[in-house]
Amino acid sequence: GLDLIMGDASLGDPAIVVRPVGSAHPGRRLTGAGAPVRVRVLAPKENGEQEYVSRLRRRITKDLVAEIAELLGPGGAGSEARLAVDGREPRPVKASDLAVLVRRNAAGEQIRDALAAAGIPAVLHGSDSVFSSLAATDWLRVLQALEQPRQALVREAALTSLVGWTFPRLAQADESALADLSYAFRRWSRVLAGRGVAALLETMGTDTALSERVLSRPDGERLLTDLRHVAQRLHALMTGRQLGIAGLREWLAEAIEVAVADDATEGLRRLATDAAAVQVLTLHRSKGLEFPVVYLPEAWDCFVPTDERDAVLRLHEDGTEVLDVGGRQAAGRPERFRRSLAEEAGENLRLNYVGMTRAQCQVVTWWADARTTTTSALHRFWARPARVGDPAPSYPSTSGPAQEPVPVSTRLLVGDPGRVLSVEDVQSRPTTRRRPAASAPVALAARRFERLLDTAWRRTSYSSLTAAAHGAIPAAGVSSEPEPVKEDDESVTQPAAPLPDAQVSAAEPGWELLSPMRDLPSGVDFGIAVHAVLEVLDPTADDLPAATLAATTDALSRLPHGNLTAETLAEALLPSLATPLGPLADDRSLADLSPADRLCELTFELPLAGGDRPRADVRLGDLAPLLARHLPADDLLAGYPELLGHPPLADESLRGYLTGSIDAVLRVGPAGARRYLVVDYKTNWLGRGEPGELRVADYGPSTMAAAMQAAHYPLQALLYQVALHRMLRWRLSDYHPERHLGGALYLFLRGMAGPETPRVAGVPAGVFSWRPPSALITELSDLLDRGPR
């Protein structure tokens, strides 16, 4: 309820004018607790000597705590003080109505700790880094002991808040207790190395009763918040950068050093609690905020250097901020020193203005007689002459007798003192620890879950849909997003005892070629390794053998591969990269398609039956009639609709979202007639003979068609083409499915032997080429979206 107006002292205007509370602020009052501005004065010593500033600060902090405790009342229900804001009914004052404004976070921490020691909930809105806190230092000591569990480091870490030993306990510990402590650190080290920082914190918390022990301290909430904050940062580093214990220790040591030396803002501290608590924050941070009651414990205290030391000066010249680094011997230094002091004094006035205007109902501040008092904004306001104007601040002399104490009670200037401002003597009074009032226990009851769950809704993929058909047990009911892993091409159902392909004549040249991959292993690990290589390899590289070897070396360094070597895999892959892909791809090979015409690992997620808001019940069996209607009788996959229409596959629900990752999308054709192909790499072993005798003849069209249907790859090809159809519909302004949808190429890499690979109807062995009618893809997309009509 105050109007405080800043002025320019050099122009003779008052620096601060305190105006009486009037009708401009109706309904803003604090009844039963004094005037809108209360100044509590610490009496000087009886002999007139000035008291040490540090002692005065402690006395003011103690009086501040007593003031807040008295205002809040002994049990948290509030004293006789009532708060009325914005015309509302008066209510008891709560801790969250009070704010303590300081200049620096260090002072705020001391006040917060003093309030907590008195049982008053307080929270510090600091802008300091968590790495400058005790929690960061404790974590560093623990990491040092976990890295090298020597007795000296273990004993030092035992005294941290994370472990919780006291010094007497450590001093009295026998050899057995110290051995158990060392064993605990070795066990914690294994937990950290194997499971990460989060698991370490959980284990240590259980072993040492961390939460109960820390929260029993006056600053427990603050400390526990910081410990968890640092732990989360360390865990993110360990998982993101793959750091070990030594790396974590080095990183944390550097973060602590930077935070202490440079006042860095890396890892700003989080609030310790969201409960109703006294707000402690800096004056700068309080700008733009309002609080019913504001405490300014530092308004009387402002240290200003009084000699021209070699410190760097900050001032303005011609409207530009400059730094004076010339030292005391530089020309013009005295004048710049005075201007720097004047600017700093003006900044102190502005900060005091900010602090006093944060209050809605009342400001409480303190005044004491010390060497730092005469340069403070509060003293300058009080001690100025009664005439209008504010002379320059009076700086104390570095030598000679102390100044006479200022009789503050005679310096009150404006308005009705009894209505606007009260001056009170600080009297010594004990502060008892405040205990919250006991509240009546609340009757607890378990909530009843009455909402119906859509158990058919799920995020699914081709692999999940076909799991039951391959003998796996699919997830029942609502399920989370499937893991983004590649299909196991080697273990899915294959046609029993493959017969010679009816479309392959042994008399034609080339069909007796051995597969370049005949000596390579089989299994899921091999398939994953091949996919990893083709995902990053550029087949158009100038030195393709070197590029392929680099890709295989990188892939096998990260993946399990048995006895397979990078050189062997690279040599076996090269022929498949040079094999023509048949008419759908204009007979171009992977090595002929530039990176601009190849999109690798296209990940998609498309809604099924309405996605988040289902509007239909679609089953896989609903797709069978659609396929049967569109596939011609001479299609190699014409028999698949019948296979799709039988349980258990037909009963799979398509309700929720479909996710997947297409190995590659190829763009072929001339400009103006572009076509887009879905490509999937397969490493299935379709041989009929012994290992080492695998031939390209084992990958003729009929054999691949049988393998496709046995593994339900036609379903995968259709779903992936629907995903491509929806993407192209959004991306191409002139999109026409019959022109742009180019079909699917399933590349059975073991049957692709290079440019000499034999062909059937123009399609090389190992390449299964399928272009279903575009109407099938568009109608399938509509069916998946809206359900059967």
Side-chain angles (χ1 to χ4, degrees):
L2 304 177
D3 289 334
L4 295 99
I5 304 173
M6 292 300 301
D8 188 342
S10 63
L11 300 179
D13 294 332
I16 302 178
V17 176
V18 183
R19 302 192 185 280
V21 178
S23 59
H25 302 286
R28 296 189 177 189
R29 64 184 187 277
L30 183 71
T31 61
V37 180
R38 297 172 55 218
V39 183
R40 298 185 56 77
V41 178
L42 277 70
K45 290 184 177 182
E46 294 182 358
N47 58 9
E49 294 181 1
Q50 289 178 326
E51 196 168 358
Y52 289 112
V53 173
S54 58
R55 188 176 301 169
L56 289 171
R57 290 170 182 166
R58 290 193 296 270
R59 288 178 60 190
I60 289 176
T61 298
K62 183 178 180 181
D63 190 63
L64 166 68
V65 173
E67 274 285 311
I68 292 177
E70 181 178 324
L71 183 62
L72 295 178
S79 63
E80 69 278 1
R82 294 294 183 266
L83 184 67
V85 180
D86 296 331
R88 299 177 183 174
E89 288 296 321
R91 60 170 176 80
V93 179
K94 299 183 296 185
S96 56
D97 296 323
L98 314 181
V100 182
L101 307 185
V102 294
R103 283 196 293 267
R104 294 179 179 84
N105 286 305
E109 289 186 357
Q110 295 174 0
I111 292 173
R112 187 272 321 278
D113 294 343
L115 290 169
I120 301 172
V123 61
L124 176 65
H125 298 260
S127 59
D128 56 333
S129 171
V130 72
F131 299 113
S132 62
S133 67
L134 172 65
T137 305
D138 284 354
W139 265 112
L140 180 60
R141 290 172 178 167
V142 168
L143 289 176
Q144 290 170 339
L146 293 175
E147 180 188 9
Q148 300 180 15
R150 299 194 301 264
Q151 271 297 319
L153 296 177
V154 167
R155 294 186 184 200
E156 186 177 2
L159 297 175
T160 64
S161 58
L162 283 162
V163 182
W165 279 36
T166 62
F167 188 80
R169 179 182 177 183
L170 182 61
Q172 298 170 12
D174 56 18
E175 291 299 326
S176 176
L178 293 175
D180 290 343
L181 180 64
S182 296
Y183 172 76
F185 270 90
R186 288 185 171 87
R187 179 166 54 85
W188 293 337
S189 180
R190 292 193 296 271
V191 172
L192 174 60
R195 297 165 54 197
V197 181
L200 171 65
L201 181 62
E202 184 68 23
T203 303
M204 294 184 70
T206 302
D207 294 346
T208 69
L210 177 64
S211 297
E212 300 89 333
R213 178 168 42 79
V214 172
L215 289 176
S216 66
R217 300 171 48 154
D219 62 340
E221 284 186 312
R222 173 75 272 164
L223 179 57
L224 187 60
T225 300
D226 289 343
L227 288 173
R228 289 173 174 170
H229 189 175
V230 176
Q232 290 177 7
R233 190 72 179 94
L234 293 173
H235 186 77
L237 285 166
M238 189 174 189
T239 56
R241 298 189 191 178
Q242 303 298 313
L243 295 181
I245 299 178
L248 291 177
R249 191 255 310 153
E250 292 178 1
W251 183 91
L252 182 56
E254 182 178 352
I256 292 174
E257 183 179 356
V258 170
V260 172
D262 299 339
D263 192 25
T265 58
E266 166 75 14
L268 293 181
R269 300 176 80 178
R270 301 168 179 170
L271 289 182
T273 178
D274 56 2
V278 177
Q279 313 293 302
V280 183
L281 65 163
T282 62
L283 287 161
H284 283 285
R285 195 178 181 91
S286 71
K287 292 180 179 179
L289 303 178
E290 277 190 333
F291 308 93
V293 182
V294 168
Y295 296 87
L296 302 175
E298 297 179 317
W300 64 278
D301 184 9
C302 180
F303 171 76
V304 175
T306 55
D307 60 349
E308 299 177 23
R309 295 176 292 180
D310 290 328
V312 174
L313 304 180
R314 187 187 299 269
L315 66 153
H316 288 78
E317 290 186 351
D318 300 326
T320 302
E321 186 176 19
V322 299
L323 296 178
D324 182 353
V325 298
R328 73 178 72 185
Q329 302 301 327
R333 173 76 173 196
E335 174 59 25
R336 287 193 298 275
F337 181 73
R338 285 191 293 271
R339 287 164 53 194
S340 176
L341 290 182
E343 290 191 16
E344 187 171 351
E347 176 64 16
N348 289 333
L349 279 176
R350 284 184 286 273
L351 283 178
N352 192 55
Y353 166 77
V354 168
M356 298 194 75
T357 54
R358 298 311 94 201
Q360 294 174 295
C361 299
Q362 188 178 85
V363 176
V364 182
T365 187
W366 281 260
W367 186 92
D369 183 25
R371 298 191 67 86
T372 61
T373 303
T374 56
T375 55
S376 67
L378 180 65
H379 180 86
R380 291 176 60 190
F381 167 61
W382 273 5
R384 72 186 192 273
R387 62 178 176 82
V388 175
D390 179 27
S394 174
Y395 298 107
S397 173
T398 56
S399 60
Q403 293 182 338
E404 291 294 327
V406 179
V408 178
S409 59
T410 64
R411 298 292 190 176
L412 302 181
L413 287 179
V414 295
D416 177 3
R419 186 179 180 189
V420 176
L421 186 147
S422 67
V423 179
E424 308 161 3
D425 291 333
V426 172
Q427 303 294 335
S428 178
R429 49 183 168 174
T431 302
T432 58
R433 181 172 174 80
R434 179 172 169 272
R435 298 183 180 278
S439 57
V442 179
L444 300 179
R447 294 186 62 186
R448 298 181 61 85
F449 188 84
E450 298 176 348
R451 182 167 59 90
L452 295 178
L453 290 178
D454 186 354
T455 56
W457 192 101
R458 60 177 175 169
R459 274 185 167 84
T460 189
S461 66
Y462 153 76
S463 300
S464 299
L465 291 171
T466 58
H470 295 321
I473 300 177
V478 178
S479 61
S480 60
E481 186 172 348
E483 293 293 328
V485 297
K486 287 297 177 185
E487 297 79 18
D488 181 357
D489 295 333
E490 305 292 348
S491 61
V492 296
T493 304
Q494 302 290 355
L499 299 174
D501 197 301
Q503 295 181 282
V504 173
S505 171
E508 294 183 23
W511 285 104
E512 292 303 317
L513 279 175
L514 293 175
S515 166
M517 295 186 180
R518 61 188 179 279
D519 296 323
L520 297 188
S522 60
V524 63
D525 290 342
F526 175 73
I528 291 176
V530 170
H531 278 91
V533 172
L534 295 176
E535 180 181 349
V536 300
L537 176 64
D538 178 9
T540 63
D542 293 336
D543 190 347
L544 183 57
T548 306
L549 179 58
T552 57
T553 302
D554 177 69
L556 296 186
S557 68
R558 297 181 284 106
L559 299 169
H561 56 276
N563 297 324
L564 181 65
T565 66
E567 291 79 7
T568 302
L569 179 58
E571 183 179 355
L573 277 175
L574 285 172
S576 64
L577 302 177
T579 302
L581 302 182
L584 289 187
D586 297 338
D587 221 30
R588 301 172 71 184
S589 67
L590 291 175
D592 296 329
L593 294 166
S594 69
D597 293 322
R598 183 178 64 255
L599 181 61
C600 296
E601 295 298 327
L602 175 60
T603 301
F604 65 86
E605 182 179 69
L606 55 90
L608 300 173
D612 289 330
R613 299 180 179 179
R615 53 176 175 251
D617 185 14
V618 185
R619 304 280 173 170
L620 270 182
D622 297 329
L623 278 60
L626 180 63
L627 269 64
R629 188 171 72 251
H630 281 283
L631 291 180
D634 59 349
D635 193 296
L636 286 174
L637 300 179
Y640 184 66
E642 182 179 357
L643 190 63
L644 185 63
H646 286 83
L649 201 60
D651 298 330
E652 289 291 324
S653 174
L654 296 173
R655 187 180 179 92
Y657 282 88
L658 177 71
T659 67
S661 181
I662 304 174
D663 287 346
V665 174
L666 302 183
R667 183 172 62 180
V668 298
R674 299 288 195 184
R675 303 187 311 280
Y676 297 83
L677 308 175
V678 168
V679 172
D680 204 273
Y681 307 119
K682 297 300 180 185
T683 58
N684 306 58
W685 183 282
L686 303 182
R688 300 184 300 274
E690 296 293 326
E693 297 180 1
L694 187 68
R695 302 176 183 276
V696 295
D698 296 325
Y699 291 87
S702 297
T703 303
M704 290 188 293
M708 290 277 293
Q709 295 182 78
H712 295 284
Y713 291 155
L715 174 62
Q716 182 189 40
L718 290 170
L719 295 176
Y720 285 7
Q721 288 181 88
V722 167
L724 178 62
H725 158 66
R726 293 192 182 184
M727 186 189 78
L728 295 177
R729 184 176 61 187
W730 296 330
R731 297 293 183 88
L732 300 181
S733 59
D734 61 341
Y735 175 63
H736 296 285
E738 62 277 5
R739 186 179 67 197
H740 290 105
L741 289 179
L745 294 176
Y746 272 61
L747 306 183
F748 290 80
L749 301 173
R750 295 182 189 268
M752 300 170 66
E756 301 82 14
T757 303
R759 303 171 180 243
V760 172
V763 181
V767 177
F768 188 83
S769 179
W770 188 41
R771 189 178 187 182
S774 59
L776 170 59
I777 304 302
T778 57
E779 290 184 32
L780 177 57
S781 177
D782 294 339
L783 172 64
L784 294 176
D785 181 43
R786 295 191 293 268
R789 296 288 180 170

